[in-house]
Amino acid sequence: MNHEKLYTFAAALIALTLFASSGHAKDRINIIYPSISGLILGLWITKDAGLFDQHGLDVNLIYIQSASAVMQAMLGGEAPIVLAGGTPVIDLGLEGGDAVFIGAVATVPAFYVMTVPEIRTVGDLKGKSVGVTRFGSSSDFTMRQVLKKHGLEAVRDVPIVQIAGGMQGMAAALLKRAIFAAPFSPPTNIEVEKGGGKLLVDMGKAGIAFPHVSVVTTRAYIKKNRSLVRAMLRAYSAGIKTMVSDKTRAINVLRKYTRSNDTEVLETTYQFALDYIARIPRPPRDGIVEILKESKNLKAKDVKPEQFIDDSLVRELEQSGLYR
């Protein structure tokens, strides 16, 4: 299905969701999220625990797997607030788009880089192929940054291979030694470990900034609906606190949204959420800097990261004492 068809489907789904809702005094909005992942746990808990309702919001959560369809739905007004990866937001901004980061979900590459047993250090990858889901993806950014941090140049020193089939495809390729390392997240990292793979780099501890998933809207929407957007961030922040403090609820929410009853997968995914989800959702300035450095768009060298950020809402919440 091409991007135009995906967007048409997404718009139809959103319209049906809106018309299915009964009218009442709460502000009604759709929020789209891009993946079934532990990184979305805070949003799921916010909805499941009724925290959006407590802050005067009637929120419909919609899952759309295509990054381009997510951004098009936001820019078209069907879903004014979305969770999205950083690169599409910056790409749009460089071409004059109005999208802006207002909060952060994960501010580092949210992956565990796994390898085969004989690889002991990143340096051991020299001359050996590593895998990514597709060029330009977050997995691609992650592998290139890991190599760079350890003095290796992607392609010249370490071939990067685009692997079909997402993380499952990369897992199969790694365990067959068609590649020697790749980034994974739950539950695929569990499968790799059981197959004999091992952890090489925990990206949560690698010191590399990246807006892996962020809260995104447009400046125009903030201007017209500032109190609503602030309420959304306040509710989401309460959801993060609940995620951290109430493991039982968090596991039950994961079970509901991932449709998994596997205890090991649920426990690992919950730990992944704790490892990578930002407790204070400040927009990811440092990560934006890194994307601009890597961008092939000639305009990237002439812009400042602040062009893509409105951190005033989170700052207001901080000043109110919300995160103490």
Side-chain angles (χ1 to χ4, degrees):
M1 187 179 289
N2 62 34
H3 289 162
E4 183 177 350
K5 289 181 179 179
L6 272 170
Y7 175 62
T8 301
F9 173 76
L13 176 62
I14 291 165
L16 286 170
T17 305
L18 282 172
F19 284 116
S21 300
S22 58
H24 48 70
K26 292 177 183 174
D27 290 311
R28 293 162 52 199
I29 60 169
N30 291 303
I31 297 177
I32 293 176
Y33 60 94
S35 62
I36 304 298
S37 162
L39 297 180
I40 314 300
L41 178 56
L43 183 71
W44 291 334
I45 288 177
T46 306
K47 173 68 174 177
D48 190 76
L51 298 171
F52 285 127
D53 297 278
Q54 290 177 23
H55 289 83
L57 302 176
D58 179 8
V59 171
N60 298 304
L61 299 184
I62 300 172
Y63 166 51
I64 299 177
Q65 195 173 8
S66 164
S68 60
V70 169
M71 297 306 296
Q72 288 180 56
M74 184 194 72
L75 294 174
E78 290 92 348
I81 301 174
V82 301
L83 268 57
T87 302
V89 179
I90 293 170
D91 288 344
L92 281 170
L94 290 171
E95 297 304 323
D98 192 34
V100 63
F101 296 96
I102 59 168
V105 177
T107 60
V108 298
F111 292 113
Y112 305 114
V113 178
M114 309 288 287
T115 188
V116 295
E118 62 265 30
I119 300 296
R120 297 185 178 182
T121 68
V122 175
D124 293 340
L125 291 172
K126 188 170 184 178
K128 298 178 173 62
S129 297
V130 299
V132 300
T133 54
R134 62 178 176 79
F135 300 135
S137 67
S138 55
S139 63
D140 185 43
F141 175 91
T142 298
M143 281 308 319
R144 290 173 188 272
Q145 291 296 310
V146 166
L147 296 173
K148 181 179 178 181
K149 191 175 180 69
H150 290 82
L152 297 172
E153 184 176 323
V155 182
R156 187 194 70 185
D157 295 327
V158 180
I160 295 183
V161 181
Q162 186 170 258
I163 303 294
M167 287 196 182
Q168 292 289 338
M170 290 199 301
L174 180 73
L175 297 177
K176 292 177 183 176
R177 284 174 170 68
I179 56 174
F180 288 81
F184 296 99
S185 59
T188 317
N189 65 309
I190 302 173
E191 299 174 21
V192 172
E193 187 173 3
K194 287 181 177 179
K198 68 176 186 179
L199 178 67
L200 181 65
V201 181
D202 180 344
M203 295 306 299
K205 302 172 183 176
I208 296 171
F210 181 65
H212 194 114
V213 178
S214 299
V215 186
V216 180
T217 186
T218 63
R219 293 189 187 276
Y221 190 77
I222 296 171
K223 185 175 181 180
K224 293 181 180 178
N225 303 277
R226 187 174 184 85
S227 61
L228 184 155
V229 180
R230 183 170 52 242
M232 180 271 165
L233 287 171
R234 185 181 290 275
Y236 174 75
S237 298
I240 295 302
K241 289 183 179 179
T242 302
M243 177 193 80
V244 173
S245 64
D246 191 343
K247 180 179 178 180
T248 299
R249 178 185 284 277
I251 292 292
N252 286 334
V253 169
L254 278 175
R255 183 178 290 109
K256 172 182 175 181
Y257 282 90
T258 65
R259 298 180 181 179
S260 173
N261 286 312
D262 187 312
T263 300
E264 183 180 17
V265 167
L266 294 171
E267 290 280 348
T268 302
T269 304
Y270 177 61
Q271 187 59 52
F272 175 71
L274 293 179
D275 287 348
Y276 287 102
I277 292 177
R279 303 301 190 264
I280 302 177
R282 298 186 188 96
R285 183 189 185 282
D286 291 346
I288 293 170
V289 170
E290 293 303 319
I291 290 180
L292 291 172
K293 284 180 183 177
E294 299 295 323
S295 176
K296 292 180 173 58
N297 190 318
L298 296 178
K299 298 175 184 177
K301 63 182 177 61
D302 297 320
V303 299
K304 297 183 182 300
E306 287 76 17
Q307 177 178 322
F308 307 92
I309 296 172
D310 184 339
D311 65 352
S312 62
L313 293 153
V314 172
R315 283 192 283 108
E316 287 175 17
L317 295 177
E318 285 191 87
Q319 290 165 7
S320 74
L322 181 64
Y323 301 111
R324 292 175 189 165

